[in-house]
Amino acid sequence: SVDLLDADAMTAVTDHIREASGRVDVLLHAGGLEISRLLPDKEPAEFDLVFDVKADGWFNLLHGLSDTEVRSAVVFSSIAGRFGNGGQTDYSAANDLLCKSISSFATTRPDTIGLAIDWTAWGDIGMATRGSIPTVMKAAGIDMLPAAAGIPVVRRELTGEAETLEVVVGLRLGMLTDEWHPAGGLAPEALSPSADRQPLVAEVTGMTLAEGLTVAISLDPTEHPFLDDHRIDGTPVLPGVMGMELFAETATLPFAERHVAAIEDVDFLAPFKFFRDEPRTLQVSARYRADGDDIVADCVLAGERAIAGQDEPQRTVHFTGRVRLATSPPAAASTDPPGSGEVVVAADDIYGIYFHGPAYQVLAEAWRADGAVVGRMTPDLPPAERDGGTAPTTGPRLTELCFQTAGVWEIATTGVMALPTHIDRVVPVAADEASAGSAHAVVRPRDGAGVDAVVVDGEGTVLLQLEGYRTIPLPGQLEDQQVAPLRAAMMES
């Protein structure tokens, strides 16, 4: 039994442990006090006591152990430390400091497994069971944790993971997860979209803990050729490549000085359709995190639609992916221009199968050369943007050129048409559609599933790189007479 705030006494204890065993297998810091009182009503000495028992107690313990081998360390934080809570400013701050200290073990104590547990209030034992606290917790919509569920957590996490981490342990967290402000505290007008970098973003709606930065984008098939010319069974559908463009436009809003280095791990989960050619508003969200020197935005494109007989609109997540933002643009690259083909399939045969209209008929012709599939881009494509407005920033029709070139090969080899389902990575090196009149896509099937591709201009300058593109087949075989011209060109070596 020792006072955690008595540094000398703590050092005496740790010296005894070091002499007795020479190491610490598990270091557990669960000490703490909680005195709920709103900050204006709290005496400084009371704040210091609540904060110091956790924070100074932990650092006294680490100081006393010095360079003693510690195989694993566990600190008891709380959901208040993770989310904040009125009346617990001192308690919340101290708990969050413990989490940050554990996080630092990755560099300061790399041989120690660190675990910070953000407990909810325990229901059967502990200080939260006293007085009116259970009643207050229930009113706040916060479930208390049964001891039988909480006790095994420490062992399970230590034996099940081999890395430093923070975990939240609780059931319903009620008001703690509510936003303090509808827009997350952001003044939306402070992030006005730029006509050059965000030509399609209409409105910034907020930046919340749950969804990150959110924007609303209203699209109308009668105004946007990229919708009017991208119809499946007569219904306009948002092209996947434009979904990635919207990810990039959203992600760059708070980081005007950053460049889109790549769009990664994109999943096309469900088509975004414009029924009866009516306008729809979609939402794009971006949650930011650091990755080395880069900033990564994890993005979601979702939409809501009223369904007959349902009180609430149906919300569907259509696309997900991440945008990597770097301090400099992707490095310039070049390669040999693609070779010519002995047998070429022309646009008339390609678009006798594909559903694309003029703005998205990006393929002039395709052929096989040097073990790859080559697609030449249609020169002088009509604008894909409203009223010939500002061009997208990521070269979506260059990516579409890769998609359609790969599709020609797929149809020739399987007799089935397919739709995009996943991309590992797109790098818009110099993705300027306006200067891509001589562009060619060079697509190389992988040994396993999917293809890789590169788009180059007439001199071999790389405009865009695509990795790990995969598709999902549509039901039904195409007619042999439709497939024959594609097969004749694709079977050439």
Side-chain angles (χ1 to χ4, degrees), residues 186-231:
L186 175 74
E189 64 276 8
L191 287 179
S192 299
S194 161
D196 293 332
R197 301 195 75 189
Q198 292 89 21
L200 293 170
V201 175
E203 178 188 8
V204 177
T205 55
M207 193 164 187
T208 64
L209 281 173
E211 295 186 309
L213 176 67
T214 56
V215 305
I217 300 169
S218 299
L219 300 175
D220 187 341
T222 65
E223 296 185 8
H224 292 286
F226 65 79
L227 295 176
D228 192 33
D229 287 346
H230 193 263
R231 294 174 178 265

mmCIF file of all heavy atoms in Angstrom, residues 186-231:
data_model
loop_
_atom_site.group_PDB
_atom_site.id
_atom_site.type_symbol
_atom_site.label_atom_id
_atom_site.label_comp_id
_atom_site.label_asym_id
_atom_site.label_seq_id
_atom_site.Cartn_x
_atom_site.Cartn_y
_atom_site.Cartn_z
ATOM 1 N N LEU A 186 -17.814 23.278 -36.688
ATOM 2 C CA LEU A 186 -17.219 23.899 -37.874
ATOM 3 C C LEU A 186 -18.118 25.013 -38.388
ATOM 4 O O LEU A 186 -19.344 24.871 -38.418
ATOM 5 C CB LEU A 186 -17.035 22.854 -38.978
ATOM 6 C CG LEU A 186 -16.528 23.358 -40.330
ATOM 7 C CD1 LEU A 186 -15.047 23.696 -40.240
ATOM 8 C CD2 LEU A 186 -16.774 22.328 -41.424
ATOM 9 N N ALA A 187 -17.527 26.126 -38.798
ATOM 10 C CA ALA A 187 -18.251 27.156 -39.540
ATOM 11 C C ALA A 187 -18.160 26.777 -41.016
ATOM 12 O O ALA A 187 -17.114 26.961 -41.637
ATOM 13 C CB ALA A 187 -17.637 28.525 -39.287
ATOM 14 N N PRO A 188 -19.212 26.190 -41.595
ATOM 15 C CA PRO A 188 -19.114 25.658 -42.961
ATOM 16 C C PRO A 188 -18.631 26.670 -43.988
ATOM 17 O O PRO A 188 -17.928 26.317 -44.934
ATOM 18 C CB PRO A 188 -20.544 25.200 -43.254
ATOM 19 C CG PRO A 188 -21.128 24.889 -41.916
ATOM 20 C CD PRO A 188 -20.535 25.919 -40.996
ATOM 21 N N GLU A 189 -18.989 27.937 -43.786
ATOM 22 C CA GLU A 189 -18.569 28.951 -44.767
ATOM 23 C C GLU A 189 -17.064 29.165 -44.774
ATOM 24 O O GLU A 189 -16.506 29.754 -45.711
ATOM 25 C CB GLU A 189 -19.279 30.277 -44.496
ATOM 26 C CG GLU A 189 -18.940 30.941 -43.160
ATOM 27 C CD GLU A 189 -19.766 30.417 -41.996
ATOM 28 O OE1 GLU A 189 -20.505 29.420 -42.178
ATOM 29 O OE2 GLU A 189 -19.673 31.000 -40.899
ATOM 30 N N ALA A 190 -16.377 28.666 -43.753
ATOM 31 C CA ALA A 190 -14.920 28.816 -43.706
ATOM 32 C C ALA A 190 -14.218 27.906 -44.703
ATOM 33 O O ALA A 190 -13.028 28.074 -44.973
ATOM 34 C CB ALA A 190 -14.409 28.527 -42.294
ATOM 35 N N LEU A 191 -14.940 26.914 -45.234
ATOM 36 C CA LEU A 191 -14.359 25.994 -46.216
ATOM 37 C C LEU A 191 -15.110 26.113 -47.533
ATOM 38 O O LEU A 191 -15.779 25.179 -47.973
ATOM 39 C CB LEU A 191 -14.405 24.557 -45.708
ATOM 40 C CG LEU A 191 -13.428 24.190 -44.601
ATOM 41 C CD1 LEU A 191 -13.611 22.732 -44.201
ATOM 42 C CD2 LEU A 191 -11.989 24.418 -45.035
ATOM 43 N N SER A 192 -15.027 27.263 -48.147
ATOM 44 C CA SER A 192 -15.728 27.473 -49.409
ATOM 45 C C SER A 192 -15.041 26.681 -50.518
ATOM 46 O O SER A 192 -13.821 26.779 -50.699
ATOM 47 C CB SER A 192 -15.734 28.962 -49.769
ATOM 48 O OG SER A 192 -16.404 29.701 -48.773
ATOM 49 N N PRO A 193 -15.806 25.889 -51.279
ATOM 50 C CA PRO A 193 -15.201 25.135 -52.379
ATOM 51 C C PRO A 193 -14.582 26.060 -53.418
ATOM 52 O O PRO A 193 -15.094 27.144 -53.697
ATOM 53 C CB PRO A 193 -16.383 24.352 -52.962
ATOM 54 C CG PRO A 193 -17.396 24.296 -51.866
ATOM 55 C CD PRO A 193 -17.230 25.580 -51.113
ATOM 56 N N SER A 194 -13.469 25.635 -53.980
ATOM 57 C CA SER A 194 -12.795 26.383 -55.034
ATOM 58 C C SER A 194 -13.279 25.897 -56.392
ATOM 59 O O SER A 194 -13.409 24.688 -56.620
ATOM 60 C CB SER A 194 -11.274 26.190 -54.914
ATOM 61 O OG SER A 194 -10.623 26.515 -56.118
ATOM 62 N N ALA A 195 -13.537 26.816 -57.292
ATOM 63 C CA ALA A 195 -13.997 26.435 -58.632
ATOM 64 C C ALA A 195 -12.953 25.605 -59.362
ATOM 65 O O ALA A 195 -13.280 24.785 -60.226
ATOM 66 C CB ALA A 195 -14.338 27.680 -59.441
ATOM 67 N N ASP A 196 -11.675 25.782 -59.019
ATOM 68 C CA ASP A 196 -10.608 25.038 -59.687
ATOM 69 C C ASP A 196 -10.423 23.640 -59.106
ATOM 70 O O ASP A 196 -10.166 22.692 -59.850
ATOM 71 C CB ASP A 196 -9.279 25.805 -59.570
ATOM 72 C CG ASP A 196 -9.294 27.102 -60.350
ATOM 73 O OD1 ASP A 196 -10.039 27.173 -61.346
ATOM 74 O OD2 ASP A 196 -8.587 28.047 -59.962
ATOM 75 N N ARG A 197 -10.559 23.499 -57.784
ATOM 76 C CA ARG A 197 -10.252 22.224 -57.146
ATOM 77 C C ARG A 197 -11.491 21.452 -56.720
ATOM 78 O O ARG A 197 -11.421 20.241 -56.539
ATOM 79 C CB ARG A 197 -9.363 22.441 -55.924
ATOM 80 C CG ARG A 197 -8.044 23.127 -56.238
ATOM 81 C CD ARG A 197 -7.076 22.994 -55.082
ATOM 82 N NE ARG A 197 -6.504 21.662 -55.001
ATOM 83 C CZ ARG A 197 -5.772 21.228 -53.984
ATOM 84 N NH1 ARG A 197 -5.553 22.014 -52.951
ATOM 85 N NH2 ARG A 197 -5.268 20.012 -53.977
ATOM 86 N N GLN A 198 -12.617 22.136 -56.522
ATOM 87 C CA GLN A 198 -13.857 21.466 -56.108
ATOM 88 C C GLN A 198 -15.019 21.937 -56.988
ATOM 89 O O GLN A 198 -15.996 22.518 -56.501
ATOM 90 C CB GLN A 198 -14.169 21.733 -54.625
ATOM 91 C CG GLN A 198 -13.209 21.114 -53.645
ATOM 92 C CD GLN A 198 -12.032 22.013 -53.305
ATOM 93 O OE1 GLN A 198 -12.094 23.226 -53.487
ATOM 94 N NE2 GLN A 198 -10.945 21.423 -52.807
ATOM 95 N N PRO A 199 -14.938 21.715 -58.293
ATOM 96 C CA PRO A 199 -15.977 22.255 -59.184
ATOM 97 C C PRO A 199 -17.364 21.678 -58.963
ATOM 98 O O PRO A 199 -18.357 22.298 -59.344
ATOM 99 C CB PRO A 199 -15.456 21.903 -60.588
ATOM 100 C CG PRO A 199 -14.507 20.763 -60.381
ATOM 101 C CD PRO A 199 -13.882 21.008 -59.046
ATOM 102 N N LEU A 200 -17.471 20.508 -58.342
ATOM 103 C CA LEU A 200 -18.776 19.876 -58.176
ATOM 104 C C LEU A 200 -19.330 19.972 -56.760
ATOM 105 O O LEU A 200 -20.509 19.710 -56.536
ATOM 106 C CB LEU A 200 -18.691 18.402 -58.581
ATOM 107 C CG LEU A 200 -18.440 18.146 -60.072
ATOM 108 C CD1 LEU A 200 -18.139 16.676 -60.317
ATOM 109 C CD2 LEU A 200 -19.645 18.574 -60.900
ATOM 110 N N VAL A 201 -18.498 20.331 -55.780
ATOM 111 C CA VAL A 201 -18.963 20.410 -54.396
ATOM 112 C C VAL A 201 -19.867 21.633 -54.239
ATOM 113 O O VAL A 201 -19.463 22.757 -54.539
ATOM 114 C CB VAL A 201 -17.783 20.482 -53.413
ATOM 115 C CG1 VAL A 201 -18.296 20.700 -51.989
ATOM 116 C CG2 VAL A 201 -16.963 19.201 -53.478
ATOM 117 N N ALA A 202 -21.086 21.405 -53.767
ATOM 118 C CA ALA A 202 -22.048 22.499 -53.648
ATOM 119 C C ALA A 202 -22.031 23.147 -52.270
ATOM 120 O O ALA A 202 -22.108 24.368 -52.148
ATOM 121 C CB ALA A 202 -23.454 21.973 -53.955
ATOM 122 N N GLU A 203 -21.901 22.322 -51.219
ATOM 123 C CA GLU A 203 -22.085 22.857 -49.868
ATOM 124 C C GLU A 203 -21.321 22.020 -48.854
ATOM 125 O O GLU A 203 -21.384 20.790 -48.873
ATOM 126 C CB GLU A 203 -23.579 22.848 -49.522
ATOM 127 C CG GLU A 203 -23.906 23.345 -48.122
ATOM 128 C CD GLU A 203 -25.370 23.134 -47.758
ATOM 129 O OE1 GLU A 203 -26.076 22.462 -48.535
ATOM 130 O OE2 GLU A 203 -25.773 23.631 -46.696
ATOM 131 N N VAL A 204 -20.591 22.687 -47.969
ATOM 132 C CA VAL A 204 -19.973 22.028 -46.824
ATOM 133 C C VAL A 204 -20.999 22.025 -45.701
ATOM 134 O O VAL A 204 -21.542 23.064 -45.339
ATOM 135 C CB VAL A 204 -18.695 22.757 -46.384
ATOM 136 C CG1 VAL A 204 -18.104 22.096 -45.145
ATOM 137 C CG2 VAL A 204 -17.680 22.781 -47.517
ATOM 138 N N THR A 205 -21.294 20.846 -45.143
ATOM 139 C CA THR A 205 -22.364 20.748 -44.150
ATOM 140 C C THR A 205 -21.883 20.576 -42.717
ATOM 141 O O THR A 205 -22.652 20.785 -41.787
ATOM 142 C CB THR A 205 -23.304 19.578 -44.501
ATOM 143 O OG1 THR A 205 -22.543 18.363 -44.626
ATOM 144 C CG2 THR A 205 -24.023 19.844 -45.819
ATOM 145 N N GLY A 206 -20.627 20.179 -42.511
ATOM 146 C CA GLY A 206 -20.153 20.037 -41.145
ATOM 147 C C GLY A 206 -18.889 19.211 -41.060
ATOM 148 O O GLY A 206 -18.356 18.727 -42.066
ATOM 149 N N MET A 207 -18.410 19.055 -39.831
ATOM 150 C CA MET A 207 -17.246 18.206 -39.573
ATOM 151 C C MET A 207 -17.422 17.619 -38.178
ATOM 152 O O MET A 207 -17.139 18.266 -37.167
ATOM 153 C CB MET A 207 -15.943 18.989 -39.676
ATOM 154 C CG MET A 207 -14.705 18.106 -39.723
ATOM 155 S SD MET A 207 -13.264 19.038 -40.300
ATOM 156 C CE MET A 207 -12.056 17.715 -40.444
ATOM 157 N N THR A 208 -17.933 16.388 -38.118
ATOM 158 C CA THR A 208 -18.302 15.776 -36.855
ATOM 159 C C THR A 208 -17.363 14.626 -36.514
ATOM 160 O O THR A 208 -16.631 14.123 -37.370
ATOM 161 C CB THR A 208 -19.744 15.237 -36.924
ATOM 162 O OG1 THR A 208 -19.808 14.190 -37.900
ATOM 163 C CG2 THR A 208 -20.725 16.337 -37.300
ATOM 164 N N LEU A 209 -17.420 14.188 -35.256
ATOM 165 C CA LEU A 209 -16.597 13.059 -34.829
ATOM 166 C C LEU A 209 -16.982 11.791 -35.574
ATOM 167 O O LEU A 209 -16.128 10.992 -35.947
ATOM 168 C CB LEU A 209 -16.769 12.834 -33.323
ATOM 169 C CG LEU A 209 -15.995 13.753 -32.388
ATOM 170 C CD1 LEU A 209 -16.421 13.493 -30.954
ATOM 171 C CD2 LEU A 209 -14.494 13.540 -32.527
ATOM 172 N N ALA A 210 -18.278 11.591 -35.784
ATOM 173 C CA ALA A 210 -18.742 10.340 -36.369
ATOM 174 C C ALA A 210 -18.419 10.241 -37.852
ATOM 175 O O ALA A 210 -18.031 9.184 -38.337
ATOM 176 C CB ALA A 210 -20.241 10.198 -36.151
ATOM 177 N N GLU A 211 -18.575 11.339 -38.597
ATOM 178 C CA GLU A 211 -18.464 11.258 -40.047
ATOM 179 C C GLU A 211 -17.317 12.069 -40.618
ATOM 180 O O GLU A 211 -17.003 11.940 -41.798
ATOM 181 C CB GLU A 211 -19.780 11.728 -40.688
ATOM 182 C CG GLU A 211 -20.965 10.824 -40.367
ATOM 183 C CD GLU A 211 -22.207 11.224 -41.121
ATOM 184 O OE1 GLU A 211 -22.561 12.419 -41.075
ATOM 185 O OE2 GLU A 211 -22.810 10.362 -41.775
ATOM 186 N N GLY A 212 -16.668 12.902 -39.838
ATOM 187 C CA GLY A 212 -15.623 13.754 -40.371
ATOM 188 C C GLY A 212 -16.212 14.907 -41.156
ATOM 189 O O GLY A 212 -17.343 15.341 -40.914
ATOM 190 N N LEU A 213 -15.465 15.405 -42.119
ATOM 191 C CA LEU A 213 -15.929 16.490 -42.978
ATOM 192 C C LEU A 213 -17.016 15.953 -43.915
ATOM 193 O O LEU A 213 -16.826 14.921 -44.563
ATOM 194 C CB LEU A 213 -14.771 17.050 -43.796
ATOM 195 C CG LEU A 213 -15.120 18.139 -44.806
ATOM 196 C CD1 LEU A 213 -15.568 19.415 -44.100
ATOM 197 C CD2 LEU A 213 -13.940 18.423 -45.723
ATOM 198 N N THR A 214 -18.143 16.637 -43.985
ATOM 199 C CA THR A 214 -19.228 16.197 -44.860
ATOM 200 C C THR A 214 -19.605 17.313 -45.818
ATOM 201 O O THR A 214 -19.644 18.490 -45.445
ATOM 202 C CB THR A 214 -20.474 15.772 -44.058
ATOM 203 O OG1 THR A 214 -20.893 16.858 -43.209
ATOM 204 C CG2 THR A 214 -20.186 14.554 -43.204
ATOM 205 N N VAL A 215 -19.885 16.923 -47.062
ATOM 206 C CA VAL A 215 -20.327 17.883 -48.074
ATOM 207 C C VAL A 215 -21.558 17.326 -48.768
ATOM 208 O O VAL A 215 -21.763 16.106 -48.824
ATOM 209 C CB VAL A 215 -19.222 18.181 -49.123
ATOM 210 C CG1 VAL A 215 -17.948 18.655 -48.447
ATOM 211 C CG2 VAL A 215 -18.940 16.960 -49.984
ATOM 212 N N ALA A 216 -22.374 18.225 -49.277
ATOM 213 C CA ALA A 216 -23.544 17.847 -50.067
ATOM 214 C C ALA A 216 -23.281 18.227 -51.521
ATOM 215 O O ALA A 216 -22.773 19.312 -51.807
ATOM 216 C CB ALA A 216 -24.791 18.553 -49.545
ATOM 217 N N ILE A 217 -23.618 17.318 -52.421
ATOM 218 C CA ILE A 217 -23.379 17.527 -53.843
ATOM 219 C C ILE A 217 -24.666 17.199 -54.587
ATOM 220 O O ILE A 217 -25.150 16.059 -54.537
ATOM 221 C CB ILE A 217 -22.223 16.647 -54.352
ATOM 222 C CG1 ILE A 217 -20.937 16.987 -53.585
ATOM 223 C CG2 ILE A 217 -22.016 16.805 -55.844
ATOM 224 C CD1 ILE A 217 -19.813 16.006 -53.810
ATOM 225 N N SER A 218 -25.247 18.181 -55.234
ATOM 226 C CA SER A 218 -26.489 17.995 -55.977
ATOM 227 C C SER A 218 -26.176 17.814 -57.453
ATOM 228 O O SER A 218 -25.466 18.626 -58.048
ATOM 229 C CB SER A 218 -27.418 19.203 -55.777
ATOM 230 O OG SER A 218 -27.752 19.356 -54.408
ATOM 231 N N LEU A 219 -26.712 16.738 -58.041
ATOM 232 C CA LEU A 219 -26.449 16.417 -59.434
ATOM 233 C C LEU A 219 -27.763 16.195 -60.177
ATOM 234 O O LEU A 219 -28.706 15.620 -59.622
ATOM 235 C CB LEU A 219 -25.574 15.171 -59.541
ATOM 236 C CG LEU A 219 -24.189 15.237 -58.881
ATOM 237 C CD1 LEU A 219 -23.498 13.890 -58.978
ATOM 238 C CD2 LEU A 219 -23.340 16.331 -59.514
ATOM 239 N N ASP A 220 -27.774 16.629 -61.427
ATOM 240 C CA ASP A 220 -28.979 16.557 -62.256
ATOM 241 C C ASP A 220 -28.601 15.957 -63.608
ATOM 242 O O ASP A 220 -27.762 16.518 -64.324
ATOM 243 C CB ASP A 220 -29.566 17.955 -62.437
ATOM 244 C CG ASP A 220 -30.907 17.952 -63.154
ATOM 245 O OD1 ASP A 220 -31.224 16.957 -63.821
ATOM 246 O OD2 ASP A 220 -31.625 18.961 -63.042
ATOM 247 N N PRO A 221 -29.179 14.820 -63.984
ATOM 248 C CA PRO A 221 -28.825 14.202 -65.270
ATOM 249 C C PRO A 221 -29.077 15.102 -66.472
ATOM 250 O O PRO A 221 -28.428 14.955 -67.508
ATOM 251 C CB PRO A 221 -29.726 12.959 -65.322
ATOM 252 C CG PRO A 221 -30.072 12.671 -63.908
ATOM 253 C CD PRO A 221 -30.141 14.003 -63.226
ATOM 254 N N THR A 222 -30.021 16.039 -66.346
ATOM 255 C CA THR A 222 -30.304 16.922 -67.478
ATOM 256 C C THR A 222 -29.254 18.014 -67.638
ATOM 257 O O THR A 222 -29.227 18.691 -68.666
ATOM 258 C CB THR A 222 -31.692 17.575 -67.314
ATOM 259 O OG1 THR A 222 -31.680 18.445 -66.162
ATOM 260 C CG2 THR A 222 -32.766 16.517 -67.134
ATOM 261 N N GLU A 223 -28.412 18.180 -66.619
ATOM 262 C CA GLU A 223 -27.389 19.224 -66.676
ATOM 263 C C GLU A 223 -25.974 18.681 -66.801
ATOM 264 O O GLU A 223 -25.071 19.409 -67.209
ATOM 265 C CB GLU A 223 -27.477 20.107 -65.423
ATOM 266 C CG GLU A 223 -28.777 20.884 -65.296
ATOM 267 C CD GLU A 223 -28.746 21.830 -64.117
ATOM 268 O OE1 GLU A 223 -27.669 21.982 -63.497
ATOM 269 O OE2 GLU A 223 -29.798 22.422 -63.808
ATOM 270 N N HIS A 224 -25.761 17.425 -66.399
ATOM 271 C CA HIS A 224 -24.413 16.858 -66.392
ATOM 272 C C HIS A 224 -24.294 15.753 -67.435
ATOM 273 O O HIS A 224 -24.872 14.670 -67.268
ATOM 274 C CB HIS A 224 -24.075 16.287 -65.016
ATOM 275 C CG HIS A 224 -23.942 17.324 -63.950
ATOM 276 N ND1 HIS A 224 -22.862 18.167 -63.860
ATOM 277 C CD2 HIS A 224 -24.767 17.661 -62.924
ATOM 278 C CE1 HIS A 224 -23.014 18.977 -62.818
ATOM 279 N NE2 HIS A 224 -24.159 18.692 -62.238
ATOM 280 N N PRO A 225 -23.536 15.985 -68.503
ATOM 281 C CA PRO A 225 -23.356 14.928 -69.505
ATOM 282 C C PRO A 225 -22.759 13.642 -68.952
ATOM 283 O O PRO A 225 -23.044 12.564 -69.466
ATOM 284 C CB PRO A 225 -22.409 15.590 -70.525
ATOM 285 C CG PRO A 225 -22.634 17.049 -70.369
ATOM 286 C CD PRO A 225 -22.926 17.260 -68.915
ATOM 287 N N PHE A 226 -21.942 13.725 -67.890
ATOM 288 C CA PHE A 226 -21.357 12.492 -67.365
ATOM 289 C C PHE A 226 -22.420 11.592 -66.733
ATOM 290 O O PHE A 226 -22.170 10.408 -66.499
ATOM 291 C CB PHE A 226 -20.209 12.759 -66.387
ATOM 292 C CG PHE A 226 -20.595 13.468 -65.101
ATOM 293 C CD1 PHE A 226 -21.186 12.784 -64.054
ATOM 294 C CD2 PHE A 226 -20.321 14.814 -64.932
ATOM 295 C CE1 PHE A 226 -21.520 13.424 -62.873
ATOM 296 C CE2 PHE A 226 -20.640 15.465 -63.753
ATOM 297 C CZ PHE A 226 -21.249 14.770 -62.721
ATOM 298 N N LEU A 227 -23.608 12.138 -66.458
ATOM 299 C CA LEU A 227 -24.733 11.311 -66.017
ATOM 300 C C LEU A 227 -25.620 10.917 -67.187
ATOM 301 O O LEU A 227 -26.016 9.763 -67.334
ATOM 302 C CB LEU A 227 -25.564 12.063 -64.965
ATOM 303 C CG LEU A 227 -24.879 12.372 -63.636
ATOM 304 C CD1 LEU A 227 -25.798 13.207 -62.757
ATOM 305 C CD2 LEU A 227 -24.473 11.100 -62.921
ATOM 306 N N ASP A 228 -25.944 11.890 -68.035
ATOM 307 C CA ASP A 228 -26.824 11.627 -69.167
ATOM 308 C C ASP A 228 -26.223 10.588 -70.111
ATOM 309 O O ASP A 228 -26.945 9.804 -70.736
ATOM 310 C CB ASP A 228 -27.088 12.933 -69.916
ATOM 311 C CG ASP A 228 -28.220 12.811 -70.930
ATOM 312 O OD1 ASP A 228 -29.164 12.036 -70.679
ATOM 313 O OD2 ASP A 228 -28.149 13.484 -71.973
ATOM 314 N N ASP A 229 -24.892 10.574 -70.217
ATOM 315 C CA ASP A 229 -24.214 9.644 -71.116
ATOM 316 C C ASP A 229 -23.695 8.403 -70.395
ATOM 317 O O ASP A 229 -22.853 7.685 -70.927
ATOM 318 C CB ASP A 229 -23.043 10.348 -71.824
ATOM 319 C CG ASP A 229 -23.535 11.319 -72.888
ATOM 320 O OD1 ASP A 229 -24.722 11.247 -73.257
ATOM 321 O OD2 ASP A 229 -22.738 12.163 -73.347
ATOM 322 N N HIS A 230 -24.204 8.167 -69.171
ATOM 323 C CA HIS A 230 -23.783 6.982 -68.422
ATOM 324 C C HIS A 230 -25.040 6.332 -67.844
ATOM 325 O O HIS A 230 -25.356 6.467 -66.659
ATOM 326 C CB HIS A 230 -22.797 7.374 -67.313
ATOM 327 C CG HIS A 230 -22.075 6.212 -66.693
ATOM 328 N ND1 HIS A 230 -22.482 5.623 -65.530
ATOM 329 C CD2 HIS A 230 -20.965 5.531 -67.097
ATOM 330 C CE1 HIS A 230 -21.659 4.640 -65.217
ATOM 331 N NE2 HIS A 230 -20.733 4.563 -66.150
ATOM 332 N N ARG A 231 -25.772 5.628 -68.715
ATOM 333 C CA ARG A 231 -27.058 5.044 -68.358
ATOM 334 C C ARG A 231 -26.973 3.528 -68.435
ATOM 335 O O ARG A 231 -26.422 2.976 -69.394
ATOM 336 C CB ARG A 231 -28.157 5.546 -69.290
ATOM 337 C CG ARG A 231 -28.447 7.043 -69.174
ATOM 338 C CD ARG A 231 -29.439 7.506 -70.226
ATOM 339 N NE ARG A 231 -29.727 8.924 -70.066
ATOM 340 C CZ ARG A 231 -30.769 9.405 -69.383
ATOM 341 N NH1 ARG A 231 -31.634 8.561 -68.814
ATOM 342 N NH2 ARG A 231 -30.959 10.705 -69.282
#
